[in-house]
Amino acid sequence: MFRNLKAILTIEAGDPELVQAQLAAFTKQVPLLYFMLVTNTVALTVTHFNAAPAVLTLYIPSVLYAVSLFRLVHWWFSRQRRYTHEEATMRLRSTYRLTALLGAGFCAWSLSLFTYGDAYQQSHVAFYIANTVVGCIFCLMHLRAAALALTAIVLGPFTIFFGTSGNPVFTALALNVALVTVAMVFILLTYYRDFRALIQSQKELTARQAETQRLSDENHRLANLDSLTNLPNRRQFRAELEKRLAAAEDAGTGLALDLIDLDGFKPVNDTFGHGIGDKLLIEVGERLSAFMQQNIFPARLGGDEFGLIFEGNLSPDRLRALGEEICAALHEPYVLSGQTARVSGSLGISILGDAGTTADRLFDRADFALYLAKQNFRGTAVVFSAEHEAEISEQGRIQQALRAADFEQEMYLAFQPLVDTDTHGIFAYEALARWKSPSIGTVPPGIFIRAAERAGIIGKLTEVLMRKALEAAKTWPDHVRLSVNLSTRDVVSNKTVDALLDIIAESGVDPARLDIEVTETAVMRNFALAAENIRRFSERGIGVALDDFGTGHSSLSYVHKLPLTKIKIDRSFIVDIASNELSRSIVKTIVDLSRNIGCVCVVEGMETAEQVAVLRALGCRMMQGYYFARPQRLEDTLAYQAASDAILNASLRKTG
């Protein structure tokens, strides 16, 4: 019980919200409290001025007035101040102590006046104490401890003093005040309980609102932040681009958009696992974040694709140089959990104004520049230019013509022989796509194949060309093979592979006479899916040739994971083969590699007898190029085949 009583008469410093609420409420009541105290005291002093000594009617009241006015001014000028919890607690405790002191002081002073004057003046003393204290208690209702202390210090002595006065009126008054005091205490405790419950309710509501805001902020963060790299995600990047684009246009400043795609990331995932792949992406994010000091805003757009916003008036040359710096940073080795991985980054950059003025336009142009980088300049930065704009327009025209084209009528094939230089016989023909459009004329294959890929109709085109190639193969001797190229999208399209396998099965051509050619780039883009589809061809007895070997970014460790039957050395190694020792070393290495893994090695791009002689000395036997024959129509291959067979037969007769 004593502990509960002590708790009731103590400032509840352990509840910061309650302390602040008590201080705020009491601050509003202070003017009324001291106004009532001073005016009632003045009235009592006036009625006893001629009856009591000056010390009781002048000197002591003056001290009480001074203290009250000082406290009133102090509270008034500090009413707008923000207090810490410790300061607020100290302020309430000082108020509590001062209430007790002032209550005792005013009570003792007023009771000392009782012996002076007549019955009316004595009644005024009783009225003063009861009325003033009741009013003060109401003003102190937010400070339960102070209000109860004042009740005990003033009304306790009051009740005893007047209850034992021997005057029935004063005794009744004392009893009446005692009963009122009990009711007042009950009201005080009830009010304070409700006040504290209200503060607690507000505290809980504030906590729920804070939690709701925290969850909202967290949801906003998660919705706009990539959880793996902690970079902004695609949504945030798009919003940021729109905002900065508007600001750049208003201020007349420059802005550029950069899209980045990692080259060789999927092989890292396949070789080391997704855990290492995730760590690599995290480090890529950190390397890109290091460029933020150059007014660059980085983001992860998804997968192994990242985006950058460049701010400032940067020239195309400066953007290209900055892009190359980023490429160099991304190309540095990644040491992750004891494993060393290498990737590179291809960049496509579009500039506000040169490439367009809207976010969609900048994205589209940066994506086109990125496509060019990945197709032709892997690991470098390409800045979208006016020439690229013309190319887009041309590609758009070509795509429209492709969509309207009759592939059966407009598409045809040219065939280039692959020669066995030991026998001078033809062992295969490579089928090369050709298109002559009635509306736009002849279109180079490098252009319309790319346009068909971007238009999403390459699979349909490949199916038509495969049928035509298989029909041509029926006209050749059975020992002559057919080689057909598959595009990057063909290799990773299950639908296209299904259709091609059905076409081959229905053609009547022995699958063992057929080779499909795929590039390193096509295989490395999605190795797992590409490898699975390549195996499906191999299981049907179809040969698999890896074209343009040495120009991609794949690891040699992947070569043995594919069911290859041929490796074709890219012509870029052949141009200076007669004079470049490094080219000869590379070719020799590839020839030896092919022999070791049981593959036929084919060299492309032969144009001179000197090249043929050098390559034969390096161990190359199978070759292809203008030196032997340019791509021919089907009817020309028949005559060329007949001449080749005649030479071969004559050679055999001499040997025999």
Side-chain angles (χ1 to χ4, degrees):
M1 181 178 177
F2 177 76
R3 183 178 299 175
N4 292 336
L5 181 61
K6 182 179 179 182
I8 290 175
L9 295 175
T10 303
I11 299 298
E12 298 177 84
D15 192 336
E17 289 79 8
L18 178 61
V19 169
Q20 293 289 350
Q22 288 177 302
L23 182 60
F26 179 65
T27 300
K28 296 177 182 178
Q29 301 295 334
V30 165
L32 178 62
L33 172 67
Y34 284 108
F35 173 77
M36 179 178 60
L37 189 60
V38 169
T39 53
N40 287 355
T41 301
V42 169
L44 184 61
T45 302
V46 169
T47 59
H48 285 74
F49 193 78
N50 294 322
V55 67
L56 294 178
T57 58
L58 184 62
Y59 301 122
I60 292 177
S62 295
V63 173
L64 296 176
Y65 296 151
V67 172
S68 297
L69 290 174
F70 174 78
R71 294 293 298 170
L72 176 61
V73 171
H74 176 70
W75 277 97
W76 177 261
F77 283 103
S78 62
R79 68 187 187 282
Q80 301 296 336
R81 181 181 167 185
R82 304 286 297 181
Y83 292 93
T84 65
H85 172 62
E86 290 74 16
E87 291 173 336
T89 302
M90 290 179 60
R91 196 164 177 79
L92 291 183
R93 284 174 176 166
S94 66
T95 299
Y96 174 58
R97 290 191 292 268
L98 191 60
T99 297
L101 290 174
L102 287 177
F106 276 98
C107 181
W109 168 74
S110 58
L111 289 177
S112 67
L113 290 173
F114 184 78
T115 58
Y116 301 97
D118 55 21
Y120 292 108
Q121 291 168 314
Q122 291 177 336
S123 297
H124 190 187
V125 170
F127 176 79
Y128 166 80
I129 295 175
N131 181 53
T132 303
V133 170
V134 168
C136 289
I137 290 174
F138 272 106
C139 291
L140 291 168
M141 289 189 75
H142 299 94
L143 300 179
R144 180 184 62 185
L148 291 176
L150 182 65
T151 300
I153 289 171
V154 176
L155 293 183
F158 171 86
T159 302
I160 296 173
F161 182 87
F162 285 98
T164 59
S165 64
N167 187 316
V169 175
F170 288 134
T171 300
L173 178 63
L175 179 62
N176 180 252
V177 170
L179 292 175
V180 171
T181 299
V182 172
M184 286 278 295
V185 169
F186 178 78
I187 294 172
L188 170 67
L189 294 176
T190 302
Y191 175 83
Y192 185 79
R193 181 196 64 196
D194 293 342
F195 174 73
R196 185 168 58 180
L198 175 62
I199 299 305
Q200 182 63 27
S201 176
Q202 291 176 341
K203 178 180 176 180
E204 292 173 356
L205 178 61
T206 301
R208 285 196 297 270
Q209 289 175 336
E211 178 64 13
T212 300
Q213 184 62 46
R214 187 191 69 79
L215 292 174
S216 176
D217 293 342
E218 179 66 9
N219 288 335
H220 183 270
R221 187 186 72 84
L222 293 175
N224 292 278
L225 204 66
D226 175 58
S227 59
L228 179 64
T229 62
N230 281 327
L231 290 177
N233 61 12
R234 179 179 290 272
R235 174 187 294 181
Q236 178 65 15
F237 184 75
R238 181 58 183 251
E240 196 70 25
L241 178 61
E242 296 277 7
K243 182 178 73 174
R244 299 191 183 206
L245 194 58
E249 289 182 335
D250 290 342
T253 55
L255 181 143
L257 170 66
D258 175 13
L259 298 182
I260 303 173
D261 194 76
L262 298 182
D263 305 312
F265 174 70
K266 286 185 174 61
V268 172
N269 254 349
D270 296 337
T271 303
F272 302 118
H274 291 284
I276 295 295
D278 287 347
K279 290 181 180 179
L280 188 146
L281 290 174
I282 292 171
E283 186 164 336
V284 167
E286 292 173 353
R287 294 186 186 186
L288 293 177
S289 296
F291 287 89
M292 291 177 66
Q293 59 187 353
Q294 301 188 45
N295 291 328
I296 292 177
F297 177 84
R300 183 188 178 204
L301 306 184
D304 59 351
E305 185 181 3
F306 294 80
L308 302 174
I309 300 174
F310 299 92
E311 288 189 297
N313 296 310
L314 300 176
S315 67
D317 288 341
R318 175 57 187 143
L319 284 170
R320 189 177 293 105
L322 190 52
E324 295 297 340
E325 287 181 38
I326 295 171
C327 288
L330 296 179
H331 192 61
E332 290 295 318
Y334 296 80
V335 181
L336 309 164
S337 302
Q339 304 286 348
T340 299
R342 280 187 177 273
V343 297
S344 60
S346 297
L347 279 68
I349 304 173
S350 60
I351 305 173
L352 175 63
D354 294 348
T357 57
T358 65
D360 287 337
R361 185 85 168 184
L362 290 176
F363 258 104
D364 183 67
R365 273 31 186 180
D367 185 63
F368 185 82
L370 175 61
Y371 176 82
L372 292 178
K374 294 188 73 66
Q375 291 294 319
N376 305 307
F377 314 103
R378 277 179 174 259
T380 62
V382 173
V383 179
F384 188 85
S385 65
E387 291 78 10
H388 297 145
E389 189 66 54
E391 186 174 348
I392 284 183
S393 298
E394 180 64 14
Q395 284 226 352
R397 189 169 70 97
I398 292 171
Q399 286 182 25
Q400 290 300 318
L402 274 173
R403 289 191 175 94
D406 182 344
F407 288 169
E408 291 289 348
Q409 296 298 320
E410 300 176 26
M411 295 292 171
Y412 65 95
L413 292 170
F415 301 91
Q416 187 171 32
L418 284 69
V419 178
D420 182 342
T421 57
D422 279 358
T423 65
H424 300 286
I426 298 171
F427 73 92
Y429 283 100
E430 180 180 356
L432 303 170
R434 299 291 185 263
W435 178 35
K436 186 173 183 179
S437 168
S439 60
I440 61 176
T442 301
V443 182
I447 294 178
F448 76 76
I449 293 296
R450 188 165 64 190
E453 285 184 328
R454 290 179 67 85
I457 56 177
I458 188 65
K460 177 183 175 183
L461 175 58
T462 302
E463 292 172 26
V464 171
L465 295 174
M466 179 65 81
R467 289 193 186 93
K468 290 179 178 287
L470 290 169
E471 286 299 317
K474 294 178 182 179
T475 66
W476 302 325
D478 290 343
H479 68 274
V480 177
R481 303 180 65 81
L482 168 67
S483 187
V484 178
N485 292 281
L486 297 188
S487 77
T488 301
R489 293 181 183 270
D490 291 334
V491 179
V492 294
S493 170
N494 290 330
K495 179 181 178 182
T496 299
V497 172
D498 289 340
L500 293 177
L501 290 173
D502 289 342
I503 291 170
I504 294 168
E506 295 167 1
S507 69
V509 176
D510 184 358
R513 291 180 58 197
L514 179 63
D515 293 314
I516 60 162
E517 293 192 16
V518 296
T519 64
E520 280 189 275
T521 301
V523 173
M524 292 304 108
R525 184 153 296 181
N526 188 336
F527 181 81
L529 183 54
E532 178 59 31
N533 284 331
I534 288 172
R535 288 190 189 95
R536 293 174 63 193
F537 283 109
S538 181
E539 289 168 357
R540 300 288 184 93
I542 300 168
V544 179
L546 188 60
D547 197 11
D548 300 337
F549 186 79
T551 61
H553 290 74
S554 64
S555 167
L556 289 177
S557 63
Y558 279 81
V559 173
H560 77 276
K561 296 182 180 180
L562 298 171
L564 301 177
T565 56
K566 291 183 179 64
I567 289 179
K568 300 185 74 174
I569 302 176
D570 187 70
R571 62 181 301 155
S572 61
F573 297 106
I574 309 305
V575 175
D576 58 353
I577 192 72
S579 59
N580 191 320
E581 181 64 31
L582 178 60
S583 294
R584 290 197 293 272
S585 297
I586 292 174
V587 170
K588 178 61 177 174
T589 300
I590 298 175
V591 171
D592 292 341
L593 170 68
S594 301
R595 183 181 300 111
N596 292 337
I597 64 176
C599 287
V600 174
C601 183
V602 181
V603 185
E604 299 180 294
M606 309 305 299
E607 294 187 356
T608 67
E610 185 180 19
Q611 291 172 339
V612 174
V614 171
L615 288 165
R616 281 186 57 77
L618 294 174
C620 302
R621 175 180 173 183
M622 306 300 182
M623 303 184 189
Q624 178 183 4
Y626 287 178
Y627 175 78
F628 301 102
R630 291 178 176 273
Q632 310 162 355
R633 284 185 173 269
L634 176 59
E635 54 271 23
D636 296 327
T637 66
L638 300 178
Y640 187 83
Q641 182 68 44
S644 175
D645 289 344
I647 294 173
L648 178 59
N649 290 333
S651 176
L652 290 174
R653 283 195 295 272
K654 282 184 180 181
T655 304

